[in-house]
Amino acid sequence: MPEPSVTTPQATTTDPGRTRTPAPKALVTRLDIPALIARLTLEEKAELLDGSDFWHTQPVERLGIPAIMLSDGPHGLRKQQEGGDHLGLLDSVPATCFPPAAGLASSWDTSLLTRVGEAIGRECRAERVAVVLGPGINMKRSPLCGRNFEYYSEDPALAGALGTAFTHGVQSQGVGVSVKHYAANNQETERMTVSAEVDERTLREIYLPAFETVVTEARPWTVMSSYNKINGTYVAESRALVTEILREEWGFDGLVVSDWGGISHRARTLTAGVDLEMPSSGGTGTRDILTAVRSGELTEDDLDRAVTRVLTLVDRAEAAGDAGRTFDAEAHHRLAREAAVAGAVLLKNDQGILPLNPADGGRIAVIGEFARTPRFQGAGSSQVNPTRVDSALDALRTAVDGRREVAFAPGFVVESEAADPALVAEAVRTAEGADAVVLFLGLPPSYESEGYDRTHMDLPAHQIDLLNAVAEVNPRLVVVLTNGSVVRLTPWQDRAQAVLEGWLSGQAGGSAIADLLLGAATPSGKLAETIPLRLEDNPALGNFPGAFGRVHYGEGLLIGYRWYDTRQMAVAYPFGHGLSYTTFAYDDLEVLIRSDGAEPQVDITVTVTNTGDRPGTETVQVYVTDHESTVSRPAQELRAFARVTLEPGESRPVTLSLGKRAFAFWNEALNRWAVEGGSFGLRVGASSRDIRLETTIGLTGDDLVLPLRSDSSAEEWLSHSEAGPWLRAAIGDEGFGAIMADPHNGQMIRAIPLQRLSRFPGFPLSEEQIDEAVTRFAAAAS
Ligand code: BGC
């Protein structure tokens, strides 16, 4: 049984805009780092910036500097035995396999993510692992990304909140995380070299905020730079990304490690701010650094900065000491079960076919190999060697305990592209006359993995044929899905009365599914990504995975629901959707504008009532719409959420807070976040398409004075608080003045840059006067 669910509403905001306190700069260290730096030779310093093998940093024995171990994650520890590679070809020590990110994220449960992080941290401590390589918080730009199972969401606020919670959990145990893969690593095709061509505003609003949130709110020990380029420059070689944005803007005080094998030019990456190359480059990186110091490309100060960060990491790890060398595998398995329960999403449940009451008697036909042989995680570097694995079939039989017959037929061979007629016939016989059929369908492991992308989002055709054959003989059909990335449902879901999206649910997923099917637990998961009707609806279509080494992020800000909702397109299931066995009502929306202006603070309170007959958990979501904007904005964006657990009939007010970033956009002209005054819609609901209550507020916003240039339009000059009156006086009421004042006919003239107007015959201002005014107003503004 999963542990009883928590009944207090938890952290009520994911607002990435609440005022950030940059992390304090000074860290308390035990090693005397300045003294060590003074004693290290140049060669030793260069060596410290390279791994010593696949997983360890370089020790310097003569100075008592130990090696520390970094190891995969992120949904469990993958500590490989001696000499291990990084792609999971060799065995790793047994560890609890929690649901991979896609499942965890569907819980929308930050406190759960913290507890999972704590458990993983404990397991790391037990194995003397200093840093676990995760969380992976890249955006799900396309359903085809082979690594979507390892990422949280298509929404940066949700991914940022969950990544923060996970990081808090791991690091509370004296173990560091490595937030990855920074940044815009949204596909596997050519992942080591592809250039993501993405505009600044999209980077700032979509691809960077989750990293920003984790860095500013959870102070991760390390960040992992991604393999790819952004706009032609390798991220690992980008000083703008690795130093200016990450460290200087966000206040990151940890170490940046390369993704494994992600460095092609060591000196450039060191200049950019990547401190540690992993795995060991076999001496190449060290030689490159020394050559660069000799040629003057690098200075010893550059090395000292990076060495200080390596030693600080070693110090943080050593501070954890030797305590906590064991963990409770049973307790962690129970937590994995709870997490799998929380992450499963009940997509549909016609006529309340679920839950299946064990006391009802009758036969349950369980069909599908996944029920007996669970697929519970994805392939690649995150593959954990589980301490044990629960199958749904065993768990159902145990839970029903003879009160109902549970008949089983495998139905298909998982890694086969063709139906096995004998298995289909057996499945149909098993389904015939059963009181309910539970059909386990899903993606074979080869369909999704690190290292390559998917080519379609369909289930194997023979599984759908099997579903149709079973539905012919028994319409009381429940489908349980096993998949790390979304699959197309439209070809078959009408034939199922219920669909439970189980994701890849970790080692206890089988028991969790049984809990949900039989009503021992109530579903509460919500989709962290939209399920489109078909792949062709996805905004990255035509721009995924790119060609000739480049992938254009042509959809800009409109990824995921931002696209489907802005375009008002039908979807199979919207972002944020997920049913329960109970129902919830939303009432009494109240809004309190705590402060207005450049740093707005808005509180939203809504009362949620459990209107059904069982306890349940609802996730209240707040979407913000900008009604008036000088730039194009998505129709609505998730800005806060809160989970609330309620007994039948119970009501509870839930308050969610929104700060500046809930309303701001990245103003490219000002090169900063800015709130444009005007009216904003606040939409509160159970999914992006199930808005229960909404209201409109007015905010005054920032004082957005854009710097004037001589080629700013006459309109921009006229709307400037000081330049406007000056220009009006200078051009007078006649001639140009009269035309420009005309609301309609003047529009065309007002759109002309002032410098160009000055060249028109008869315009009363010269180019020199305008240049002089630019300087004067710029000086007045500064
Ligand atoms: C992956 C990382 C992983 C690392 C170490 C890389 O190929 O991209 O996510 O942590 O290998 O295994």
Side-chain angles (χ1 to χ4, degrees), residues 440-482:
F440 286 75
L441 302 178
L443 296 179
S446 61
Y447 273 42
E448 50 184 348
S449 166
E450 175 178 345
Y452 56 90
D453 291 315
R454 298 197 294 170
T455 51
H456 61 81
M457 51 179 277
D458 287 313
L459 291 172
H462 66 91
Q463 289 190 27
I464 300 174
D465 293 342
L466 173 71
L467 176 144
N468 285 325
V470 167
E472 278 309 311
V473 298
N474 197 330
R476 286 184 52 77
L477 181 60
V478 173
V479 170
V480 177
L481 287 173
T482 294

Side-chain angles (χ1 to χ4, degrees), residues 667-679:
N667 188 313
E668 289 194 8
L670 296 171
N671 206 33
R672 67 170 172 85
W673 296 99
V675 178
E676 212 174 57
S679 104

Side-chain angles (χ1 to χ4, degrees), residues 702-721:
D702 265 332
D703 187 12
L704 288 180
V705 184
L706 294 180
L708 286 175
R709 301 178 317 262
S710 63
D711 66 353
S712 299
S713 68
E715 184 73 61
E716 286 165 322
W717 280 78
L718 287 168
S719 40
H720 190 276
S721 58

Side-chain angles (χ1 to χ4, degrees), residues 486-665:
V486 290
V487 296
R488 193 157 71 112
L489 308 173
T490 35
W492 54 264
Q493 71 153 333
D494 286 350
R495 305 212 70 170
Q497 278 186 31
V499 179
L500 180 63
E501 174 54 271
W503 305 114
L504 302 177
S505 49
Q507 66 179 47
S511 308
I513 294 294
D515 291 338
L516 290 162
L517 291 173
L518 300 176
T522 297
S524 61
K526 299 271 190 175
L527 290 176
E529 59 191 300
T530 311
I531 307 184
L533 288 174
R534 46 187 203 140
L535 179 62
E536 290 72 15
D537 293 344
N538 179 259
L541 189 78
N543 278 326
F544 183 97
F548 306 114
R550 288 200 307 263
V551 50
H552 289 274
Y553 285 31
E555 71 287 353
L557 304 169
L558 301 183
I559 77 163
Y561 70 89
R562 286 169 168 78
W563 168 261
Y564 302 113
D565 292 352
T566 305
R567 304 271 302 212
Q568 300 183 358
M569 294 164 74
V571 295
Y573 291 101
F575 178 79
H577 168 80
L579 303 176
S580 169
Y581 293 152
T582 186
T583 47
F584 300 95
Y586 288 58
D587 295 288
D588 306 331
L589 175 62
E590 278 172 29
V591 176
L592 175 65
I593 302 179
R594 291 184 171 279
S595 70
D596 198 354
E599 300 285 339
Q601 282 293 332
V602 177
D603 282 357
I604 299 167
T605 302
V606 63
T607 300
V608 184
T609 305
N610 181 344
T611 48
D613 54 11
R614 350 172 126 233
T617 300
E618 174 66 323
T619 299
V620 178
Q621 302 157 42
V622 175
Y623 296 85
V624 174
T625 299
D626 188 351
H627 291 312
E628 310 159 36
S629 176
T630 52
V631 296
S632 149
R633 302 197 72 175
Q636 56 176 1
E637 298 182 89
L638 178 79
R639 296 309 196 191
F641 61 88
R643 278 164 52 91
V644 55
T645 299
L646 299 166
E647 294 297 317
E650 188 185 354
S651 284
R652 182 110 39 103
V654 177
T655 299
L656 303 101
S657 299
L658 303 178
K660 171 174 184 158
R661 288 283 286 277
F663 305 98
F665 63 84

Side-chain angles (χ1 to χ4, degrees), residues 363-447:
R363 180 157 60 94
I364 301 175
V366 174
I367 296 173
E369 185 59 57
F370 290 118
R372 176 170 66 180
T373 316
R375 180 177 166 237
F376 54 93
Q377 62 177 332
S381 64
S382 67
Q383 217 160 346
V384 173
N385 179 13
T387 57
R388 56 186 258 208
V389 178
D390 297 351
S391 82
L393 182 59
D394 288 346
L396 281 166
R397 286 191 165 139
T398 307
V400 165
D401 196 19
R403 285 172 292 171
R404 295 183 78 159
E405 184 194 344
V406 177
F408 174 70
F412 54 87
V413 175
V414 171
E415 281 290 7
S416 162
E417 281 305 308
D420 178 326
L423 292 182
V424 174
E426 181 198 7
V428 169
R429 273 198 310 277
T430 308
E432 250 167 346
D435 295 277
V437 180
V438 184
L439 179 55
F440 286 75
L441 302 178
L443 296 179
S446 61
Y447 273 42

Side-chain angles (χ1 to χ4, degrees), residues 222-402:
T222 82
V223 166
M224 186 189 290
S225 57
S226 59
Y227 288 132
N228 53 291
K229 303 178 190 125
I230 295 183
N231 299 327
T233 303
Y234 279 110
V235 171
E237 295 180 10
S238 166
R239 205 184 133 73
L241 284 161
V242 181
T243 293
E244 290 164 17
I245 294 180
L246 180 65
R247 296 187 194 284
E248 294 171 5
E249 266 187 50
W250 300 345
F252 176 60
D253 64 1
L255 168 138
V256 178
V257 57
S258 70
D259 197 350
W260 266 231
I263 285 190
S264 39
H265 192 294
R266 187 61 182 109
R268 275 190 222 142
T269 57
L270 197 58
T271 307
V274 176
D275 308 301
L276 177 63
E277 173 168 7
M278 285 300 287
S280 162
S281 67
T284 311
T286 309
R287 276 193 302 278
D288 288 351
I289 290 174
L290 291 173
T291 308
V293 173
R294 279 193 286 273
S295 74
E297 189 184 352
L298 288 174
T299 64
E300 197 160 346
D301 280 354
D302 293 327
L303 268 63
D304 288 352
R305 255 193 308 277
V307 168
T308 301
R309 295 189 192 120
V310 171
L311 295 180
T312 306
L313 180 67
V314 171
D315 194 60
R316 282 173 147 174
E318 290 298 297
D322 257 348
R325 299 297 308 277
T326 56
F327 68 92
D328 181 345
E330 273 307 308
H332 287 190
H333 185 76
R334 282 198 300 277
L335 179 60
R337 182 171 178 172
E338 184 189 340
V341 164
V345 182
L346 183 61
L347 296 175
K348 66 181 275 190
N349 191 17
D350 293 348
Q351 289 105 50
I353 183 172
L354 289 178
L356 307 170
N357 187 344
D360 277 357
R363 180 157 60 94
I364 301 175
V366 174
I367 296 173
E369 185 59 57
F370 290 118
R372 176 170 66 180
T373 316
R375 180 177 166 237
F376 54 93
Q377 62 177 332
S381 64
S382 67
Q383 217 160 346
V384 173
N385 179 13
T387 57
R388 56 186 258 208
V389 178
D390 297 351
S391 82
L393 182 59
D394 288 346
L396 281 166
R397 286 191 165 139
T398 307
V400 165
D401 196 19

Side-chain angles (χ1 to χ4, degrees), residues 55 72 78 86-87 133 147 150 180-181 185 191-192 224 227 259-260 381 450:
W55 306 109
D72 277 307
R78 187 178 70 97
H86 79 293
L87 289 176
L133 303 177
R147 256 182 131 168
E150 272 190 77
K180 66 189 189 183
H181 308 88
N185 178 183
R191 68 171 167 156
M192 290 211 166
M224 186 189 290
Y227 288 132
D259 197 350
W260 266 231
S381 64
E450 175 178 345

